[in-house]
Amino acid sequence: MHTIIDRRELTKGDMISITVEAPAIAKKIHPGQFVVLRVNETGERTPLTVAYKDEVHGTITIIFQVLGKTTAMLASLKIGDAIKDLVGPLGCDERFTKVGTVVGIGGGSGIAVLHHIMQGYAEVGNTLIGIIGAREKALLILEDEMEALCERLLVTTDDGSYGMHGLVTDALSRLVEEQVHIDQVVAVGPLIMMRAVCEMTKLYEIPTLVSLNPIMVDGTGMCGGCRVTVGGETKFACVDGPHFDGHKVDFDELMQRNMMYARDERTSLLTSIRAR
Amino acid sequence: MKKSENESRSILAGTELSTFCPHCHQALNVFDPATRKIWVRLAVSVHGAKGELLLSPQFDVFERQADIELSEGIVVDDLSCPRCGESLVEQQACEECGSPAARLVIYAQSKLVDFSICTKVGCHWHGMSRADQAKIKPKVSRQKKPEQDALLRIRNFNEVSYGLDRELALVEASRCLDCKKPACIAACPVEVDIPGFIRLIREGNFVEAARLVKQKNALPAVCGRVCPQDDQCEKACLLGKKEEPVAIGNLERFVADFERETDSVAIPRKAPPTGKRVAVVGSGPAGLTMAADMVTKGHSVTVFESLHKPGGVLVYGIPEFRLPKAIVESEIDYLRRLGVKIELNSIVGRLYTIEELFASGYDAVFVGTGAGLPVFMKLPGENLCNILSANEYLTRINLMKAYAFPEYDTPAPRGRQVAVLGGGNVAMDCARTAVRMGSREVSIIYRRTRDEMPARTEETEHAEQEGVKFRLLTNPIRFIGDDRRWVKQMECVQMQLGEPDASGRPRPIPRAGSNFLMDVDMVIVAVGAGPNPVLFSGSPDLERTDRGYVKAYTPSGRTSIPGVWAGGDIVTGSATVILAMGAARQAANDMHAYLMDGKKEWV
Ligand SMILES: Cc1cc2nc3c(=O)[nH]c(=O)nc-3n(C[C@H](O)[C@H](O)[C@H](O)COP(=O)(O)OP(=O)(O)OC[C@H]3O[C@@H](n4cnc5c(N)ncnc54)[C@H](O)[C@@H]3O)c2cc1C
Ligand code: FES
């Protein structure tokens, strides 16, 4: 059992941050790695990337968007409640190296993951530029935190309610037009966004790292449910990833695979709402 | 127990014998109205005195009455037929005390056979030669365990077989020949005293029988259900040469279930604490056996399991209808009562490394992480939607209880026309699960023939009864998807058998031009498993084979790192529950010796 010691709503109602006690995991987890949790006995095993860790207090923080039953359940937990199962750290543990200028691009709840990865890049002395985007201003998260980490931060909203009017790729275009030297791009967010970023960076031949979020069961390499095609080869995202060379990822396949249980997910959510 | 009594067991205890004189063939049995009993009447002479001796014809009790003094221990001069007067005493000697023996003829199983009794008063030896015994062996055929009707059971996940009940078990146990050199024991990977426990069943000592099995096999309720008996003990059973072998597995299951259901499971006395700490990685059959053995030897044991439930394949792989999870839970409960600590959600290699386990005070580590990595066929289109590994399918349904969706949150993949690739137990489990999940047409696709299928005979029979189709000598070569990238067809090729390959099985060869398409909307890949590399990310120096399994010495189970043992599927590759347990037991013995012996040599 892992007790929730802090809970915040980052945006109204649907972007939540919770901090749970997990001393052993906090000691071991690196930026970009994730945990699998199960809220209660009937719950699903759900992978969630860790946004912060606090080794001293033995806690990890998870930021998630309420999308389905598990995230809704997680959102309904209060400080002092506990999560039944929490396992980690998962995902390959890569060490960040100094490459020069890193542009981090985050969309939606992916910003939380991006922030942690950017911390990793910052620790080894890279120069950071951030691009974060959301549908509208009210859904934007971690702006201050990203601001603090990055030399420069560009914010976009789809509806123009804040920052640049447009998509994160528009912001990336602007950097390219300004002839900013970019050694590495990191993109975390919805698959559509990552695919769009990769299509662009491929053109400019900028190495691009993406953090994928396929459907997972165990998260330990045991089921193969999380398989993605990278450079024509099948990889298990939970152990070989979740970070991959974005130029090699078959995004279309992954998008379809992620839809596999869409109908069941709706059923699950609806039944839980009706039961309430 | 006297040897001769064992030997005569094939006539059931309590049987009343009809006895005859071997010379005049007149009946020796008489009815005595005074005692209202039937007796065997013989003429006896001792020290010149002549009289009449009455013996009970009851096969197992040996009452006697005589009208002359017959003191205990004396050998009578003669026993003869009261009708024709011929002596019955012959050359043959009593197997017990060596005194001369008398020969009668008995009528048993529609045959007349010789039957001897000792001439020494008080010696209870009576019986017949082994050859005669075989002659009169009652023909009892192998007892079938009752099971759920196939039409009924495809609609539920309840266990298919109910197991033998007390009566059936007694009858089945009576079939055992109790061979002098039992081949079944040698054919059991952990050498369970099979005739011994079956003998105890015949005597009605079911709990004792369970304890005898447990001396060698820590999980008899599991093994009785899932062991490949048809390839092991039952294959070696002498009875099997002529008729069907003794149902050893069913008997094993019976005693284990009896012990559990009657709450007769005794907590063994643990050895005094040794102060040594043992870390067990993985809670499958190997890890559980290691934990049980080491905790009873007095060590403090902690099991680390990466999943949220202990049991390994027993909980995430083998379905409820074949192995009820309540049984696995009661085994785990037993371990906890023994004092074993189980840390769930703990991935060794990630949360802790082996090195860190030693640093935090463990004196020895056992690696029993199994072969949990699913193998795919690397065919075009294999990543289409609704093509999944057996592990994923079974994990969703067994461990995550997707069959109870949406009560449980994990959804189950569904399909109307399901193809399961493979011919082992795993493939059968997937096919039979798919039937229960409501798939209309489920086919096993296997590239060899029925004879080469590695699955237990019982499983293939059950699958067939449940309507699973077998497409043999067939191999898939690619998968075709629809515009949403869902699988809709599978291209297959027909095979024929060639020369034996390295595994000794005939090599399947594709038949040119035999390609055909098969409509499918779900494919489950059950063609094997490999070692999960997660553990090794934290322990690169643990030596491994080319295929990624841990190198361990047999029988000790020692690995390349001092203080680290390994056993089970992580060493052998996917094998069986009993082999994993056997390896763990041997490793436990070696580990115990190492921990208790001051000098820490590692060779
Ligand atoms: C579907 C299916 C059906 C089968 N049917 C039969 C049958 O009928 N009869 C039979 O005899 N055999 C059968 N088998 C094979 C049998 O189950 C295995 O041979 C046996 O379970 C191996 O035991 P084990 O202890 O070595 O490994 P496992 O049972 O695989 O247990 C390993 C455990 O270690 C855990 N683990 C792995 N890595 C780590 C880590 N890094 N840290 C912590 N924990 C870890 C795993 O989660 C797992 O719980 C079947 C297998 C499957 C998959
Ligand atoms: S989630 Fe099961 S293998 Fe990756």
Side-chain angles (χ1 to χ4, degrees), chain B residues 388-407:
Chain B
L388 56 149
S389 72
N391 261 10
E392 177 174 1
Y393 190 60
L394 295 172
T395 302
R396 280 179 181 270
I397 289 168
N398 296 325
L399 182 70
M400 305 310 297
K401 298 202 169 61
Y403 61 84
F405 177 84
E407 187 194 329

Side-chain angles (χ1 to χ4, degrees), chain B residues 98-390:
Chain B
S99 317
R103 179 170 71 98
L104 329 172
V105 171
I106 62 165
Y107 185 71
Q109 307 297 322
S110 330
K111 286 187 194 82
L112 287 174
V113 252
D114 287 346
F115 188 84
S116 310
I117 50 176
C118 182
T119 53
K120 182 170 157 184
V121 176
C123 171
H124 281 199
W125 184 71
H126 55 299
M128 59 187 91
S129 69
R130 201 167 270 279
D132 286 341
Q133 221 184 97
K135 248 189 262 167
I136 61 138
K137 179 82 188 73
K139 263 265 191 237
V140 180
S141 56
R142 182 176 164 118
Q143 300 299 299
K144 294 237 163 8
K145 43 182 182 179
E147 28 191 63
Q148 270 196 83
D149 183 75
L151 283 177
L152 199 68
R153 71 185 188 233
I154 57 171
R155 288 170 206 287
N156 66 48
F157 274 82
N158 300 340
E159 187 168 18
V160 167
S161 322
Y162 299 120
L164 298 175
D165 61 17
R166 198 189 270 256
E167 277 65 42
L168 290 180
L170 281 171
V171 177
E172 185 60 36
S174 79
R175 298 181 66 229
C176 174
L177 297 176
D178 209 345
C179 307
K180 223 171 204 158
K181 286 194 193 107
C184 50
I185 299 188
C188 170
V190 298
E191 297 180 341
V192 167
D193 178 0
I194 295 165
F197 94 81
I198 295 182
R199 204 176 300 134
L200 287 164
I201 297 180
R202 275 197 306 250
E203 285 158 18
N205 252 328
F206 306 140
V207 173
E208 283 306 313
R211 292 193 180 142
L212 185 62
V213 178
K214 279 189 167 172
Q215 284 181 10
K216 297 283 176 155
N217 176 344
L219 304 169
V222 173
C223 289
R225 286 171 167 83
V226 306
C227 259
Q229 291 95 0
D230 41 354
D231 245 350
Q232 298 174 356
C233 53
E234 293 183 13
K235 189 181 193 177
C237 175
L238 202 59
L239 204 54
K241 304 271 180 285
K242 287 223 177 105
E243 41 177 315
E244 283 194 273
V246 176
I248 300 167
N250 293 346
L251 289 173
E252 179 185 29
R253 166 181 169 174
F254 166 75
V255 293
D257 286 356
F258 183 90
E259 188 195 28
R260 187 183 66 255
E261 284 159 11
T262 55
D263 275 330
S264 313
V265 180
I267 298 283
R269 194 166 331 129
K270 288 201 281 182
T274 60
K276 304 284 182 195
R277 293 174 68 202
V278 177
V280 176
V281 187
S283 65
L288 296 180
T289 305
M290 171 56 84
D293 281 9
M294 292 310 275
V295 80
T296 35
K297 290 184 198 311
H299 309 289
S300 140
V301 180
T302 307
V303 178
F304 296 90
E305 167 57 50
S306 68
L307 290 171
H308 58 262
K309 248 206 191 117
V313 169
L314 306 182
V315 295
Y316 78 72
I318 303 182
E320 177 79 17
F321 57 79
R322 201 146 74 79
L323 176 64
K325 300 305 152 231
I327 289 170
V328 185
E329 270 157 33
S330 89
E331 297 295 349
I332 307 272
D333 197 52
Y334 170 77
L335 279 194
R336 288 209 168 102
R337 278 196 285 160
L338 279 176
V340 171
K341 284 192 283 297
I342 303 182
E343 284 205 25
L344 299 173
N345 297 318
S346 306
I347 309 184
V348 175
R350 284 297 166 87
L351 202 58
Y352 318 104
T353 60
I354 290 177
E355 216 167 274
E356 286 166 339
L357 290 175
F358 282 121
S360 65
Y362 287 97
D363 300 287
V365 174
F366 176 75
V367 175
T369 52
L373 186 79
V375 168
F376 286 91
M377 295 184 73
K378 296 197 165 44
L379 295 177
E382 206 168 17
N383 291 348
L384 289 167
C385 294
N386 241 20
I387 300 182
L388 56 149
S389 72

Side-chain angles (χ1 to χ4, degrees), chain B residues 417-419 479-480 487-490 518-523:
Chain B
Q417 290 170 298
V418 180
F479 305 98
I480 302 159
V487 63
K488 66 168 189 188
Q489 280 182 318
M490 181 165 85
M518 195 178 152
D519 287 342
V520 290
D521 60 358
M522 176 156 109
V523 177

Side-chain angles (χ1 to χ4, degrees), chain A residues 215-227 236-239, chain B residues 374:
Chain A
I215 293 174
M216 294 190 183
V217 181
D218 55 299
T220 62
M222 203 184 92
C223 75
C226 61
R227 51 198 204 284
F236 287 9
C238 67
V239 285

